[in-house]
Amino acid sequence: MRIGYGWDSHEFKRGVPLRIGGIELPHSQGLAGHSDGDVLLHAITDALLGAIAAGDIGSYFPPSDPQWKGADSVTFVNEAMRLVREAGYAVANIDSTLILAKPQIGPHAPKIQARVAELLAVKTTAVGIKAKTPEGMGTDNAAIAPVALLLVERPGRRPLVDRSAEEVPQPEIDEVVEQVVKTVPAPAKIKSGAKSKSSR
Ligand code: MG
């Protein structure tokens, strides 16, 4: 099991669509950025990469690279998810907070939740989407997204020690028991055989 944490911020800008969590929201301004400025998906990408200690979004998709200009941030999440799967992990759950003055996130939260769930291959009940206004922070012209998530080992790739007894199939238990029995000397051998065997 591994924890991941991500954080991102983008400034509001007129004339661009507002994309948060892979969803386009109706608003007079969007978020400025080299890509589509999706603050939540960037934070999620960083949390995924951070959980497997694989660097950050900038090391895979540098803003200096023209191929990521205007890019759909879903691409970034998908690539981070590929690395997470390759490392043998899957997402267990994610929690996020969107800090922005406008627009109201509440009415759009179920849609964002469903899209994030789809991207991370989890149920919607494993996706927390919360929103706050930036009281006293002076950041009314920005959207900020902190994110935390948990990765668990993928089924079939988890080491035995990490699983509870109920999760381990009986043949696998039998195999381990057999190996343990092989390595433990039988009581009879210790009593009578040890002396004569070692003296030979
Ligand atoms: Mg960003």
Side-chain angles (χ1 to χ4, degrees), residues 98-180:
L98 289 160
I99 305 162
L100 70 176
K102 279 178 186 172
Q104 269 203 335
I105 293 300
H108 310 290
K111 233 175 150 185
I112 296 173
Q113 188 186 38
R115 182 62 174 139
V116 170
E118 185 185 12
L119 292 172
L120 301 185
V122 293
K123 292 179 180 169
T124 52
T125 49
V127 179
I129 304 287
K130 312 187 299 298
K132 294 226 170 268
T133 49
E135 303 300 324
M137 286 176 64
T139 56
D140 283 9
N141 200 37
I144 302 166
V147 158
L149 55 79
L150 193 68
L151 300 185
V152 287
E153 288 84 358
R154 282 167 62 191
R157 294 188 59 163
R158 298 171 65 185
L160 195 63
V161 289
D162 285 345
R163 286 179 281 170
S164 67
E166 301 85 69
E167 284 180 283
V168 183
Q170 192 57 45
E172 210 172 321
I173 294 171
D174 293 345
E175 197 181 307
V176 172
V177 169
E178 198 182 315
Q179 286 195 356
V180 170

Side-chain angles (χ1 to χ4, degrees), residues 58-128:
S59 48
Y60 293 89
F61 313 102
S64 54
D65 190 334
Q67 74 164 307
W68 307 122
K69 188 161 171 52
D72 184 343
S73 298
V74 166
T75 310
F76 307 154
V77 176
N78 285 344
E79 177 61 12
M81 277 297 287
R82 190 183 67 77
L83 294 167
V84 162
R85 285 194 188 100
E86 258 177 30
Y89 291 91
V91 176
N93 78 304
I94 175 167
D95 192 17
S96 68
T97 305
L98 289 160
I99 305 162
L100 70 176
K102 279 178 186 172
Q104 269 203 335
I105 293 300
H108 310 290
K111 233 175 150 185
I112 296 173
Q113 188 186 38
R115 182 62 174 139
V116 170
E118 185 185 12
L119 292 172
L120 301 185
V122 293
K123 292 179 180 169
T124 52
T125 49
V127 179

